[in-house]
Amino acid sequence: MSEDRRLMVLRAIVQDYVQTSEPVGSKALVERHHLGVSAATVRNDMALLEEEGLIHAPHTSAGRVPTDAGYRVFVDRLSAVKPLGQGERRAIGQFLQGAVDLDDVVDRTVRLLASLTRQVAVVQYPSLTRSTVRHIELVPMGSSHLMIVLIVNTGRVEQRVVDTGRVLTDPTGEALVASIRSRINEVAAGVPFTVAATRLRRLVGETDDADRAALEAVVSALGDALVEEREERVVLAGQANLARAGADFPRSIGPILEALEEHVTLLRLLGQLGDDPELVSVRIGSENPVTGLQSTSLVSMGYGSGSERVASLGVLGPTRMDYPTTMASVRAVARYVSEILDENQAT
């Protein structure tokens, strides 16, 4: 029972410190929480927690605050991530459902996360190296130009205009457009970008009739779009929230802001999630490999279409964070974004 009680004391210290930002003493714990023991017993439990490296005394304070290891035990012992309230879930759904395309989804998501958690929100664009071509549409424009519309299963849409060198407004030209549209979708639709690019190049190589020049122009433009869309990107919002929590950072927010500017670093951190798409990942303080972020915690989760994770999103803030609520917010938003991607793929 003593170990269970020590965990109760640790949980109480974490909750009080997150709420008040003040070191927590045994008297306050007995007054605020129904621990069922005396202040002397609580002091003894706190001494043991300190020996275990889960709490420590800042400066000469009589109170104690959690260490990174203490926060880790607290997070690991959460029996389950509590769900958000019905009103909060409805608000998230309504806010995200209004998005018109993938750029809008990402923009709304990052602003929503920053607002919900009052932390820095980070959203990775879908990793299109793992995404698939949903459909390719060809729309004649003028006498010889085609607009190529690349539609991705994540909802992203790319457009290119090419000159085919052929008249497309007569029956022969209309038949040519229909033929190219059919042939490129037959080899590219429903497959990953890298596979689609290879198949499209092979299709050109196997074509030796009069259609080859027009087909080659279309495939070349698609190849450019497929390469550009493989670029990995992240979007941030809520950096100003760091200033609100300035007292939580022992030096300054300068190193954190510098680290946040390195998007490659953020992409690497977000990419180090586990394989379970339903798991919320929490990386606390010194667990972060990036020096500038070792006074922060990153709460993140993957999102995607179906069972495949195509990207990640999360929030970054001080280690003195309301972990249960933050984890619930990240999970709820990630699930709604996944639902939107599923809907985009189904329509």
Side-chain angles (χ1 to χ4, degrees):
M1 284 297 292
S2 59
E3 182 178 356
D4 291 340
R5 190 180 64 242
R6 285 206 304 278
L7 289 174
M8 290 174 58
V9 171
L10 175 63
R11 182 167 59 246
I13 292 172
V14 170
Q15 291 171 343
D16 281 7
Y17 182 60
V18 166
Q19 183 176 4
T20 68
S21 75
E22 296 293 335
V24 183
S26 58
K27 182 179 178 181
L29 288 176
V30 171
E31 290 175 351
R32 294 174 187 163
H33 302 272
H34 302 290
L35 300 176
V37 293
S38 66
T41 300
V42 171
R43 282 195 297 273
N44 183 60
D45 287 337
M46 291 175 70
L48 292 173
L49 289 170
E50 191 165 10
E51 287 180 11
E52 294 170 3
L54 302 181
I55 61 174
H56 74 101
H59 310 300
T60 57
S61 170
R64 299 294 184 271
V65 301
T67 63
D68 290 353
Y71 285 124
R72 168 52 59 196
V73 170
F74 171 78
V75 169
D76 288 347
R77 294 303 179 101
L78 290 174
S79 57
V81 178
K82 67 174 185 178
L84 293 180
Q86 186 175 354
E88 294 169 304
R89 294 199 305 272
R90 187 184 305 113
I92 292 172
Q94 290 174 345
F95 186 78
L96 293 180
Q97 284 292 343
V100 296
D101 56 24
L102 182 62
D103 288 328
D104 198 12
V105 170
V106 172
D107 179 66
R108 286 170 180 254
T109 299
V110 74
R111 289 188 289 117
L112 175 64
L113 270 176
S115 174
L116 281 174
T117 63
R118 296 188 177 182
Q119 312 286 5
V120 180
V122 185
V123 177
Q124 177 189 12
Y125 263 85
S127 178
L128 297 179
T129 52
R130 290 182 288 175
S131 298
T132 59
V133 175
R134 180 174 155 199
H135 182 70
I136 301 167
E137 188 54 62
L138 303 179
V139 182
M141 297 182 66
S143 61
S144 64
H145 287 77
L146 273 179
M147 181 170 68
I148 305 166
V149 184
L150 170 65
I151 305 170
V152 186
N153 67 323
T154 58
R156 191 154 187 84
V157 177
E158 261 309 302
Q159 297 179 353
R160 295 286 191 279
V161 176
V162 298
D163 187 348
T164 63
R166 292 278 301 275
V167 175
L168 304 176
T169 53
D170 59 16
T172 302
E174 293 172 357
L176 171 63
V177 172
S179 173
I180 293 177
R181 180 190 296 116
S182 174
R183 290 155 76 184
I184 61 177
N185 277 291
E186 184 177 348
V187 300
V191 300
F193 275 24
T194 50
V195 177
T198 300
R199 289 185 176 183
L200 287 167
R201 287 194 300 269
R202 186 182 303 139
L203 180 64
V204 172
E206 294 170 350
T207 301
D208 57 5
D209 54 24
D211 298 346
R212 175 168 178 145
L215 176 63
E216 192 167 10
V218 171
V219 168
S220 176
L222 280 170
D224 291 342
L226 291 171
V227 169
E228 287 181 17
E229 288 308 303
R230 286 203 294 271
E231 178 187 358
E232 301 282 353
R233 287 190 289 157
V234 292
V235 179
L236 282 75
Q239 292 94 319
N241 288 324
L242 290 173
R244 180 182 54 82
D248 287 293
F249 304 116
R251 291 177 293 174
S252 71
I253 64 174
I256 301 171
L257 292 173
E258 291 175 7
L260 290 176
E261 289 178 359
E262 297 294 332
H263 286 192
V264 173
T265 297
L266 294 176
L267 284 165
R268 187 169 67 249
L269 289 177
L270 290 172
Q272 292 173 347
L273 289 173
D275 294 329
D276 187 349
E278 293 297 308
L279 184 65
V280 179
S281 171
V282 182
R283 183 168 284 169
I284 300 169
S286 55
E287 296 173 356
N288 285 305
V290 181
T291 303
L293 299 180
Q294 290 186 343
S295 59
T296 68
S297 289
L298 175 66
V299 179
S300 55
M301 186 173 179
Y303 70 88
S305 179
S307 60
E308 183 181 7
R309 188 182 80 228
V310 297
S312 303
L313 56 79
V315 297
L316 182 140
T319 55
R320 188 181 66 86
M321 177 187 292
D322 182 351
Y323 289 97
T325 300
T326 302
M327 293 166 70
S329 298
V330 168
R331 185 180 65 177
V333 172
R335 287 179 171 176
Y336 273 105
V337 174
S338 295
E339 288 178 12
I340 292 172
L341 295 186
D342 280 337
E343 290 171 4
N344 287 341
Q345 189 169 5
T347 55

